[in-house]
Amino acid sequence: MKPVFSRITGTGSFLPPRRLSNHDMATMLAERGLETSDEWIVERTGIRFRHFAADGVNASDLALPACQAALAAAGRQAEDVDLIIVATSTPDMVFPSTATLLQNKLGVHGCAAFDVQAVCSGFVYALTVADAMIKTGGASCALVVGAEVFSRILDFNDRTTCVLFGDGAGAVVLEASAEPGILASDLHADGRHSDILCTPGTVAGGQVVGSPLLRMDGQAVFKLAVGVLEQAARNVLERAGRPPESLHWLVPHQANIRIMMATAKKLKLAPDRLVATVAEHGNTSAASVPLALDVAVRDGRIRRGDSVMLEGVGGGFTWGAVLLDF
Ligand code: UT7
């Protein structure tokens, strides 16, 4: 019988070596006449560290080791891959896509490769697209990647945002399978809220027009996020015909521990079922979900057959969830 599901067969992640503590950020901001503290950042967000890529290191460079780790975990070679989707809002170039640059760095040529732009929901969007392509026979072995260098678009004169974000990459190998797999997805966007989290600048006439730096109305994002994450989770559970108590793991977008805990609580999930890695890398946008997934797979928490909920939320405004049996 033909495979009718897609299933994750390997995970990988990568954080660039330069690691800054909250104390390092406080020192950096003090030089600019701004005040912040480890206490404030930990209490409001749960973040303790973030990793910044070195100058000249781009999203595709972070994606490469994450993909190599995912391929090794899946027992696959780059030559086996027939689809590469990279979720990123900080691409190497305006064009071509980061996915094509990554394909070349992987040393393979010819397979489909493109980027998905859904900011912090990017990975769940990309995974849903890859799942659909596999289920309809358009691909059989996909690399689905989230890779970001948000340090490049941070305003270090804005303490309300620059302490929150970091750089990193995460990847999964998604393969056609006779066994599930991805069970259900739920994706949404509401462009009315595009201005609450954005980098509004563009390039025109050889110049950057408007601000190329991230800005966020944190409270507005916070309020929307808590509501939509619960709804998306309930939607995919209903679609899959599974009750919330059947869930083994919640792997949400890693932006703020308070948002993640609120979501887990609304789903009546025990706190130890929540995978939270935000303390180590801050908000890495589209990279955060596959980063957290890889950590929990490698440390032995997430095992084959476990029921896992992935969730993204962020700029656009976008949000979504994917329910899968690992
Ligand atoms: O990736 C997409 C998803 N993004 C998110 O999920 C982010 C959602 N938003 C949040 O996580 C939170 O809203 C923040 C972490 C951004 C902010 O936390 P908050 O509890 O909403 O704080 P606030 O914005 O209400 O600010 C409280 C106070 C303010 O001072 P006053 O007005 O009370 O005197 C801020 O000026 O904290 C001040 N503040 C800071 N203090 C020290 C803001 N940033 C800092 C800072 N250090 N870095």
Side-chain angles (χ1 to χ4, degrees):
M1 210 176 99
K2 279 175 96 179
V4 287
F5 296 105
S6 77
R7 189 169 150 263
I8 292 175
T9 55
T11 65
S13 61
F14 181 76
L15 293 168
R18 187 175 169 221
R19 182 179 188 245
L20 288 94
S21 68
N22 291 343
H23 292 296
D24 296 331
M25 293 303 290
T27 304
M28 187 197 289
L29 293 196
E31 284 163 11
R32 293 162 185 260
L34 298 172
E35 212 182 305
T36 192
S37 65
D38 179 55
E39 294 71 31
W40 189 93
I41 301 170
V42 171
E43 187 184 309
R44 301 286 173 140
T45 69
I47 297 166
R48 293 179 185 274
F49 299 95
R50 72 285 296 139
H51 295 242
F52 287 167
D55 289 348
V57 172
N58 293 319
S60 68
D61 299 309
L62 303 185
L64 181 63
C67 289
Q68 288 165 335
L71 287 166
R76 288 288 184 187
Q77 308 289 321
E79 293 72 31
D80 300 328
V81 171
D82 57 8
L83 171 66
I84 301 173
I85 307 182
V86 176
T88 185
S89 298
T90 47
D92 294 23
M93 303 178 184
V94 172
F95 70 79
S97 69
T98 301
T100 60
L101 303 174
L102 172 65
Q103 185 206 51
N104 192 39
K105 286 176 182 170
L106 283 163
V108 291
H109 309 102
C111 74
F114 60 92
D115 289 0
V116 161
Q117 221 293 31
V119 202
C120 305
S121 309
F123 185 76
V124 295
Y125 266 69
L127 195 62
T128 302
V129 172
D131 173 53
M133 287 182 70
I134 287 174
K135 282 178 178 156
T136 52
S140 62
C141 181
L143 266 173
V144 187
V145 190
E148 302 279 17
V149 282
F150 259 56
S151 60
R152 302 284 152 72
I153 56 168
L154 293 179
D155 181 353
F156 289 98
N157 289 308
D158 176 9
R159 70 173 183 169
T160 70
T161 54
C162 74
V163 300
L164 305 176
F165 294 87
D167 304 339
V172 302
V173 176
L174 190 74
E175 296 194 52
S177 163
E179 306 288 326
I182 292 182
L183 301 167
S185 296
D186 186 54
L187 301 181
H188 297 275
D190 187 343
R192 286 175 300 179
H193 304 295
S194 58
D195 60 342
I196 63 173
L197 175 50
C198 60
T199 297
T202 188
V203 177
Q207 308 254 326
V208 175
V209 180
S211 171
L213 301 176
L214 179 152
R215 67 178 193 218
M216 175 169 74
D217 177 346
Q219 288 196 358
V221 173
F222 193 107
K223 278 181 203 147
L224 275 173
V226 173
V228 298
L229 287 174
E230 183 195 6
Q231 192 54 53
R234 293 199 184 282
N235 289 349
V236 284
L237 285 164
E238 195 178 311
R239 254 171 234 172
R242 299 244 179 123
E245 55 272 22
S246 66
L247 258 189
H248 291 110
W249 302 103
L250 176 64
V251 187
H253 173 46
Q254 308 284 314
N256 187 320
I257 192 70
R258 291 185 290 146
I259 297 175
M260 292 186 256
M261 284 167 67
T263 308
K265 198 171 168 192
K266 284 177 176 210
L267 296 172
K268 297 197 168 60
L269 210 63
D272 64 350
R273 300 282 109 183
L274 170 69
V275 177
T277 55
V278 68
E280 178 54 42
H281 51 66
N283 184 343
T284 58
S285 193
S288 89
V289 171
L291 260 168
L293 178 68
D294 183 52
V295 167
V297 168
R298 283 175 191 269
D299 69 19
R301 273 179 288 174
I302 298 182
R303 295 169 188 215
R304 278 279 157 234
D306 282 359
S307 165
V308 180
M309 173 86 70
L310 309 179
E311 291 208 283
V313 61
F317 197 71
T318 56
W319 67 99
V322 173
L323 180 68
L324 57 92
D325 285 339
F326 188 74

